[in-house]
Amino acid sequence: MKGIYEAADNFILELTNAGFNSVTFGSISDVDIEKQNLYPFANIELENAALTGKVSNITFNVIAADIVDDKSTKTGLKQRTDNLLDIYHDIATLVNTAWQRYLRNPSVNYIVSPELNMDAFNMRFENRLAGYEFNFTIQIPNTQESAC
């Protein structure tokens, strides 16, 4: 199932090319989120695999985030006390850029559903990170004929 490697590597590349300073793979608890040069960052983790005969469905979980800055900003007619709205906008733009490139990658040999639903979060981690969490599932053809 080399498609798992290919899918993860391709999405990591697209997130990096879109402008994330750091893209990691594995448990989010293994990421040193105190590093200031890390942001914006994305972390990809394998969530589950369903082996269903002729195909394998592999689901990845992604967290994309930045640090909320408590400095006051003025945008339009409203005074804001932090850059939370900017983070939501910027992270959504970076993820969308990476996702569109990922879907159009001609070298992939797996199927990806084009829809991506992202759940916003704020203050999830101890250093006030905000951003989005989302899942995507790839479908890889099972080419192994026999286990023997």
Side-chain angles (χ1 to χ4, degrees):
M1 290 219 291
K2 74 175 191 168
I4 293 175
Y5 293 104
E6 186 179 318
D9 288 346
N10 283 334
F11 198 53
I12 288 169
L13 177 66
E14 296 302 352
L15 288 167
T16 302
N17 289 342
F20 283 93
N21 284 345
S22 179
V23 182
T24 57
F25 184 89
S27 175
I28 189 70
S29 63
D30 294 336
V31 177
D32 183 4
I33 59 174
E34 297 299 320
K35 286 178 139 180
Q36 294 300 310
N37 62 349
L38 182 71
Y39 299 100
F41 89 100
N43 183 77
I44 302 172
E45 187 171 0
L46 182 65
E47 187 167 289
N48 65 47
L51 309 176
T52 59
K54 295 188 181 229
V55 297
S56 296
N57 294 307
I58 312 298
T59 301
F60 294 94
N61 177 270
V62 181
I63 293 176
D66 203 344
I67 294 179
V68 176
D69 184 359
D70 288 325
K71 295 178 183 166
S72 179
T73 60
K74 184 169 178 144
T75 306
L77 301 175
K78 301 257 182 181
Q79 181 79 20
R80 294 185 290 147
T81 58
D82 60 34
N83 66 336
L84 182 61
L85 189 58
D86 297 327
I87 289 173
Y88 287 141
H89 172 268
D90 294 347
I91 296 294
T93 300
L94 293 175
V95 169
N96 185 49
T97 299
W99 187 245
Q100 295 306 317
R101 290 177 183 165
Y102 187 66
L103 291 175
R104 289 170 178 77
N105 187 336
S107 69
V108 300
N109 60 2
Y110 46 84
I111 299 168
V112 181
S113 172
E115 186 174 311
L116 192 64
N117 294 311
M118 302 189 307
D119 295 319
F121 65 85
N122 181 18
M123 296 172 42
R124 177 180 276 176
F125 301 98
E126 58 270 4
N127 60 345
R128 193 156 182 220
L129 295 183
Y132 293 96
E133 182 172 10
F134 57 93
N135 295 320
F136 69 94
T137 301
I138 62 167
Q139 201 172 61
I140 304 168
N142 286 334
T143 57
Q144 186 173 351
E145 295 291 327
S146 168
C148 299

